[in-house]
């Protein structure tokens, strides 16, 4: 039985908790941590088997695996506490991971492990396979509804007014690394793509605000010595947070299943 701790009990954390509670696999929710304890207590009351709400240190002590679904700014503290204890961290914070170049060495030195779940992206298994050979280019075009981007750091900082646009507007073009810095809460998918493939500095990224869309969409084009392929996904946003796709939490659940399932499907 794997004891799962959830760091951050918001939109993603609550979905993961419910899936663990209903799973027939050897997974058990051990505890959660949360920045807003009052909201966490209200959410915890909805579970059939409530667990303690604790701080990060106790969460790590009570768990075998930590799921990171906290705000990006908390990633490093949660990751270091988990890895120092020699435990496994499951996260979708690709942008934060990309900005920590010593993460692999830190995890290795302490006997811990980081699993970057696919989040709202698809095809990472094909990208990873292509990276075993030579990848010539990777391009990702992200299009999001206006409401998903109006509060993004890059938009606010540069005074980009999206409220009156009536056609698609390109608001960013650059590398995946530059995109992760400009949009730390919006482009985890691009960071994950960069880490899986030819590198975040070589992965090209465009971000568009599109008033006609109701879903977050990503189109990826990969050209390599083994294959050329295109990938496209339209993610249905959660009701609580339009910037987060429903599939993001489900990808974390799938990663947890891989830890205990006798058969693993995919790379």
């Amino acid at each position: 039985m794997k004891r799962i701790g959830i760091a951050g009990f918001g939109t993603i954390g609550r979905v993961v908790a419910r899936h663990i509670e209903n799973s027939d696999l050897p997974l058990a929710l051990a505890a959660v941590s949360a920045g807003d304890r009052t909201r966490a207590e209200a959410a915890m009351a909805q579970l059939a088997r409530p667990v303690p709400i604790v701080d990060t240190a106790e969460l790590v002590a009570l768990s075998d695996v930590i799921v990171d679904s906290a705000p990006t700014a908390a990633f490093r503290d949660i990751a270091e506490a988990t890895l120092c204890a020699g435990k496994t961290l499951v996260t979708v914070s690709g942008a934060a991971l990309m900005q920590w170049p010593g993460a692999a060495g830190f995890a290795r030195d302490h006997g811990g492990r980081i699993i970057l779940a696919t989040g709202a992206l698809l095809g990472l298994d094909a990208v990873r396979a292509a990276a075993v050979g030579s990848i010539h280019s990777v391009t990702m075009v992200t299009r999001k509804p206006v409401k998903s981007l109006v509060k993004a750091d890059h938009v606010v900082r540069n005074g980009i007014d999206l409220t009156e646009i009536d056609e698609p507007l390109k608001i960013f073009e650059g590398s995946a690394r530059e995109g992760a810095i400009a949009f730390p809460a919006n482009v985890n998918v691009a960071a994950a793509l960069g880490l899986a493939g030819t590198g975040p500095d070589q992965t090209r990224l465009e971000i568009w605000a599109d008033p006609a869309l109701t879903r977050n969409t990503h189109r990826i084009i990969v050209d390599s010595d083994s294959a050329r392929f295109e990938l496209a996904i339209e993610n249905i946003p959660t009701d609580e947070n339009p910037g987060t796709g429903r599939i993001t939490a489900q990808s974390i659940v799938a990663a947890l299943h891989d830890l205990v399932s006798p058969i693993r499907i995919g790379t």
Side-chain angles (χ1 to χ4, degrees), residues 17-205:
R18 289 194 295 270
H19 276 275
I20 292 172
E21 192 170 64
N22 295 325
S23 176
D24 293 329
L25 293 171
L27 299 169
L29 184 62
V32 305
S33 64
D36 188 331
R37 187 177 181 89
T38 300
R39 291 184 63 186
E41 288 174 345
M44 185 60 66
Q46 304 302 311
L47 296 183
R49 295 183 295 278
V51 297
I53 302 171
V54 298
D55 61 21
T56 300
E58 188 172 359
L59 183 73
V60 172
L62 292 171
S63 310
D64 302 311
V65 177
I66 299 296
V67 169
D68 164 42
S69 58
T72 303
F75 169 80
R76 185 70 172 265
D77 289 340
I78 295 166
E80 288 185 350
T82 303
L83 299 174
C84 280
K87 297 183 177 180
T88 296
L89 179 76
V90 178
T91 183
V92 289
S93 294
L97 181 60
M98 188 177 63
Q99 295 178 55
W100 184 16
F106 190 93
R108 186 183 303 112
D109 291 345
H110 293 88
R113 188 184 187 202
I114 300 173
I115 297 175
L116 180 60
T118 53
L121 197 56
L122 79 168
L124 282 190
D125 52 351
V127 176
R128 288 177 59 205
V132 174
S134 296
I135 294 180
H136 307 312
S137 64
V138 180
T139 302
M140 177 173 175
V141 179
T142 290
R143 296 177 181 269
K144 291 193 174 190
V146 170
K147 65 181 180 180
S148 297
L149 291 167
V150 289
K151 295 182 180 180
D153 290 351
H154 178 81
V155 172
V156 173
R157 185 170 56 251
N158 290 281
I160 302 173
D161 185 4
L162 299 178
T163 58
E164 301 297 331
I165 65 171
D166 55 8
E167 60 183 23
L169 176 66
K170 183 165 65 175
I171 59 175
F172 176 84
E173 182 174 5
S175 70
R177 186 183 302 280
E178 292 166 337
I181 294 171
F183 296 84
N186 296 83
V187 293
N188 281 317
V189 287
L193 177 64
L195 291 169
T198 191
D201 294 310
Q202 288 72 44
T203 301
R204 306 307 300 168
L205 171 65

Side-chain angles (χ1 to χ4, degrees), residues 192-231:
L193 177 64
L195 291 169
T198 191
D201 294 310
Q202 288 72 44
T203 301
R204 306 307 300 168
L205 171 65
E206 293 181 13
I207 300 177
W208 293 70
D210 191 334
L213 293 181
T214 58
R215 299 180 178 183
N216 300 327
T217 71
H218 307 291
R219 179 169 175 260
I220 300 163
I221 304 170
V222 179
D223 185 27
S224 75
D225 64 352
S226 59
R228 185 186 187 280
F229 51 95
E230 297 188 17
L231 311 164

